[in-house]
Amino acid sequence: MVGVNDSPSGVAADADSAEWSFAAEPGAVRTARTLVRDVLHIWGLQSVSDVTVLLVSELVTNSLRYATGPIGVRMRCRRAPEGAVLVVEVSDPVEDPPRERTATPDDEGGRGLQLVARSSRRWGTRRGKAGKTVWFELALPGEEIVEG
C-alpha cells in the first residue's frame, strides 16, 4: 500500500474507502489527522472520529520515527460477522514489525501500540512486498456503513 496516492487533494476515496501516501516528514502526522477526520465526517462516522484520529496519529508517528520512505494510510468500512467495522491500515517501507512494550511512568514514549491494542476491537501487523502494514479495527455503532 505504500505510495498509494499522490493526488493534490490527498484523497483517493469512494463511499467506503480512502487512502493517502505521505512523505516521511514531520507534517505527515498533522496532515493524516486532518484527512482522516475530514473523511470520517463525510462518511457520517463522527462517533469514531476522535479515537480513529488518535490511533492514526500514533501509528503514523511510529512510522515517521523509523521510516525514510512513504507512509501510507488506508481506511475502509466493511461488514463483519460481528457487525460493521472501520479498518485502518498504516504502511511503511520498514520490514520489522513494531513491538509492543511496557512503558514505565517516566518514559516519554512506548505507549502507542498499547493504546492501539486497548482502544481497537482487533489489531495486528502484516508484511508486504516492500515493508509492513499495521492495522486496527473499530466497531461501528449500529449499521453505520456508508453505501455508495
Side-chain angles (χ1 to χ4, degrees):
M1 183 181 78
V2 174
V4 291
N5 180 41
D6 58 2
S7 67
S9 67
V11 176
D14 58 32
D16 61 2
S17 66
E19 52 188 283
W20 308 272
S21 180
F22 308 100
E25 300 172 351
V29 178
R30 179 181 303 154
T31 304
R33 283 193 301 255
T34 299
L35 292 170
V36 165
R37 188 176 303 281
D38 289 350
V39 168
L40 291 174
H41 179 76
I42 291 166
W43 289 349
L45 298 177
Q46 292 89 335
S47 63
V48 296
S49 183
D50 288 344
V51 68
T52 305
V53 168
L54 175 65
L55 299 183
V56 166
S57 181
E58 289 293 334
L59 294 179
V60 171
T61 298
N62 282 352
S63 289
L64 187 60
R65 287 184 71 173
Y66 302 105
T68 57
I71 299 167
V73 176
R74 179 170 40 190
M75 299 190 312
R76 60 189 163 90
C77 297
R78 69 174 179 87
R79 297 199 187 281
E82 307 82 23
V85 295
L86 175 67
V87 180
V88 179
E89 301 171 327
V90 176
S91 299
D92 64 50
V94 176
E95 292 184 6
D96 297 331
R99 292 188 320 242
E100 189 174 355
R101 54 177 229 199
T102 303
T104 66
D106 294 333
D107 287 341
E108 290 186 20
R111 294 175 183 82
L113 288 178
Q114 289 178 0
L115 192 58
V116 171
R118 291 188 177 131
S119 301
S120 62
R121 189 172 77 82
R122 294 185 327 143
W123 79 281
T125 64
R126 68 176 179 272
R127 286 189 177 195
K129 291 180 182 178
K132 69 168 172 315
T133 298
V134 181
W135 58 270
F136 64 88
E137 290 182 358
L138 297 174
L140 296 176
E143 292 296 314
E144 285 193 34
I145 287 188
V146 178
E147 298 291 342

